[in-house]
Amino acid sequence: MKGLKTIYICSECGYQTPKWMGKCPSCNSWNTMVEDVINTAPESSAKANRRAISSIGTNNTAISYNELDIPSYIRSGTGLSELDRVLGGGLVHGSVVLISGEPGIGKSTLLMQISDCLGKSRKVLYVSGEESGGQLKLRAKRLGVMGENLYILTETNIDDIIKQSDKIKPDVIIIDSIQTIYDEQIKSAPGSITQVRECALSFITKAKSEGISMLLVGHVNKEGGIAGPKVLEHMVDAVLCFEGEKLQSYRIIRANKNRFGSTNEIGVFEMGDKGLIEVENPSEMLLSGRPKNTPGNCAVCTIEGTRPLIAEIQALVSPTSFPAPRRTSNGIDYNRACLIIAVLEKRLGLKFYQNDVYLNVIGGLHIDEPASDAAIALAMISSLTDKAIPDDLIAIGELGLSGECRAVSNLEQRVKEAARLGFTKAIVPYKNIEKRKIDTDIELIPIHSIYEAIKVLKSVE
């Protein structure tokens, strides 16, 4: 058609090129070029840019920094304390939140549940571009949603959604999902980079100008990132990721970005017949079913935001039948695991190069803080020597390349959480005990290096 042109846009930086490239010349990212269709007609371009120009406004003037006031953000509880924790205390009025996750993980279930609680005090508009009204009613009935002040709209045209919103005047708008919404003025297909960017900009402009809380659902691509342009994550106020295995009942929601709260908090849920159930004590959940007196098993306390979590690390070390031994890690950074293996081989002389090593964190939790190094090392040593670590022992500490055990943060909080769950001994860095005395009933075993940790295990057998 006349006026239409095919281009390729980088999903990371927005670089445009008339031909496909494997590597973006602007940001040097591989396989990020996505085909798109644009309208080059002058009159259509003016129409397409009219909304963006009007949203910018011409009445804004520069204000002195000393004249600015600190706003007091008003929050509304979602009815799920775990989600409120991740959001920083509740849903901020006039904020835009992007929720992403794998298909079938429970995003629509989560939004339907919180719409019931938000509807008790605020008017909610639920826009679905993937399901019919009957399907939404069936889910709402299964979840026990009463539907007070809840309005359902099955539409994908952004102009019709804006018109319905102006008519209903909701306080909260839920878009499920942003990849299904399209603008007629843009000739590319729904879900393309241009469509997602322009539709998201329209929703964000409406939310900021009218004080509407906006919840957008985003699809994920095969690499695990949010589908669409990278600028989408920069435009919104918060980005929440819904994680978990579909074959397991537990779900974890964490914030990758949050302008109104911490990005370190996590919320834990369990998927049941009546929807998502909050897990108020994740440590007990992660330790449930832990085997007794089994080699290759060690507990560690990690900090997620302000919450200490006791996680179970399992290691399996078995002789390899291949020239190059296999290394597999689930829930632990692969490079960090290889680093710890290299330290144990060099400093302790252990022959991991003759064995396959498999590491796993129970419950789908991902541990990325260095304080878990000691527990990972002890779990691998236990599996290699086939000697069990005492069930009431927990290990906390960061390992250096020389085998030294370095100090960690929030040790007192970690130790108290371990004592609450029945642990009686804790291997901790000596530097933490040297600087500050910790008041606890648990027996603290300070170590300077991984060598002393081995001696401790031999003494408690």
Side-chain angles (χ1 to χ4, degrees), residues 106-169:
K107 301 185 298 295
S108 300
T109 300
L110 175 69
L111 294 176
M112 184 61 72
Q113 285 186 242
I114 66 174
S115 64
D116 185 32
C117 180
L118 291 172
K120 295 179 181 178
S121 58
R122 307 178 70 187
K123 190 179 294 186
V124 181
L125 174 62
Y126 193 111
V127 181
S128 176
E130 302 174 348
E131 298 177 285
S132 64
Q135 290 176 307
L136 294 174
K137 185 66 177 289
L138 284 174
R139 177 186 291 119
K141 186 177 180 181
R142 176 174 58 86
L143 300 176
V145 176
M146 302 303 295
E148 184 179 359
N149 291 328
L150 175 60
Y151 295 83
I152 301 296
L153 175 63
T154 55
E155 182 59 65
T156 56
N157 190 317
I158 188 171
D159 293 329
D160 294 338
I161 295 174
I162 297 297
K163 289 179 183 178
Q164 289 294 321
S165 175
D166 294 337
K167 179 180 178 181
I168 299 175
K169 299 187 181 302

Side-chain angles (χ1 to χ4, degrees), residues 14-30:
Y15 179 81
Q16 298 182 7
T17 177
K19 62 180 181 179
W20 184 86
M21 295 181 179
K23 181 181 179 181
C24 174
S26 177
C27 63
N28 297 324
S29 299
W30 288 91

Side-chain angles (χ1 to χ4, degrees), residues 14 45 75 182 219 282 302 327 447:
S45 300
R75 299 178 184 266
Y182 72 95
H219 293 168
T302 179
R327 306 285 186 253
I447 61 172

Side-chain angles (χ1 to χ4, degrees), residues 33-334:
M33 289 295 177
V34 180
E35 184 179 1
D36 200 358
V37 179
I38 61 174
N39 196 336
T40 58
E43 62 275 6
S44 299
S45 300
K47 286 183 179 181
N49 294 330
R50 191 175 301 159
R51 182 185 292 110
I53 295 175
S54 63
S55 65
I56 297 175
T58 57
N59 297 325
N60 293 333
T61 57
I63 302 176
S64 172
Y65 171 78
N66 295 326
E67 297 178 2
L68 291 175
D69 297 328
I70 299 178
S72 58
Y73 295 108
I74 303 175
R75 299 178 184 266
S76 296
T78 61
L80 298 175
S81 59
E82 291 293 308
L83 179 59
D84 290 340
R85 176 196 293 269
V86 178
L87 289 172
L91 185 63
V92 177
H93 294 197
S95 65
V96 182
V97 179
L98 177 64
I99 302 178
S100 67
E102 295 286 343
I105 203 70
K107 301 185 298 295
S108 300
T109 300
L110 175 69
L111 294 176
M112 184 61 72
Q113 285 186 242
I114 66 174
S115 64
D116 185 32
C117 180
L118 291 172
K120 295 179 181 178
S121 58
R122 307 178 70 187
K123 190 179 294 186
V124 181
L125 174 62
Y126 193 111
V127 181
S128 176
E130 302 174 348
E131 298 177 285
S132 64
Q135 290 176 307
L136 294 174
K137 185 66 177 289
L138 284 174
R139 177 186 291 119
K141 186 177 180 181
R142 176 174 58 86
L143 300 176
V145 176
M146 302 303 295
E148 184 179 359
N149 291 328
L150 175 60
Y151 295 83
I152 301 296
L153 175 63
T154 55
E155 182 59 65
T156 56
N157 190 317
I158 188 171
D159 293 329
D160 294 338
I161 295 174
I162 297 297
K163 289 179 183 178
Q164 289 294 321
S165 175
D166 294 337
K167 179 180 178 181
I168 299 175
K169 299 187 181 302
D171 301 309
V172 180
I173 298 180
I174 300 174
I175 307 296
D176 187 9
S177 64
I178 187 63
Q179 277 78 14
T180 61
I181 308 302
Y182 72 95
D183 189 340
E184 290 182 342
Q185 297 177 354
I186 303 174
K187 300 304 180 182
S188 57
S192 63
I193 291 179
T194 305
Q195 286 282 10
V196 172
R197 182 180 64 246
E198 296 300 325
C199 292
L201 178 61
S202 300
F203 287 131
I204 293 173
T205 302
K206 185 173 184 61
K208 300 297 183 182
S209 60
E210 301 181 14
I212 300 175
S213 299
M214 192 80 64
L215 293 168
L216 307 178
V217 175
H219 293 168
V220 296
N221 51 31
K222 60 183 180 181
E223 289 82 16
I226 301 177
K230 194 69 175 179
V231 70
L232 177 62
E233 301 179 41
H234 296 280
M235 294 164 62
V236 300
D237 296 315
V239 179
L240 306 185
C241 293
F242 215 26
E243 305 171 355
E245 299 292 336
K246 289 188 290 184
L247 299 179
Q248 296 182 356
S249 59
Y250 295 110
R251 304 287 188 268
I252 296 176
I253 186 168
R254 65 175 73 244
N256 288 347
K257 171 188 176 182
N258 192 355
R259 290 174 178 164
F260 306 108
S262 172
T263 57
N264 297 322
E265 299 287 353
I266 68 168
V268 184
F269 300 90
E270 182 179 4
M271 180 64 76
D273 296 336
K274 298 298 180 73
L276 292 168
I277 304 171
E278 297 177 84
V279 179
E280 298 180 356
N281 196 339
S283 297
E284 292 184 359
M285 176 268 293
L286 294 172
L287 292 179
S288 62
R290 184 186 179 196
K292 301 295 183 181
N293 196 28
T294 304
N297 188 297
C298 187
V300 65
C301 186
T302 179
I303 297 291
E304 294 287 350
T306 59
R307 169 190 289 177
L309 293 179
I310 304 292
E312 177 188 353
I313 296 178
Q314 290 186 337
L316 178 62
V317 181
S318 60
T320 183
S321 58
F322 302 98
R326 187 174 184 180
R327 306 285 186 253
T328 303
S329 62
N330 183 24
I332 299 172
D333 182 66
Y334 176 80

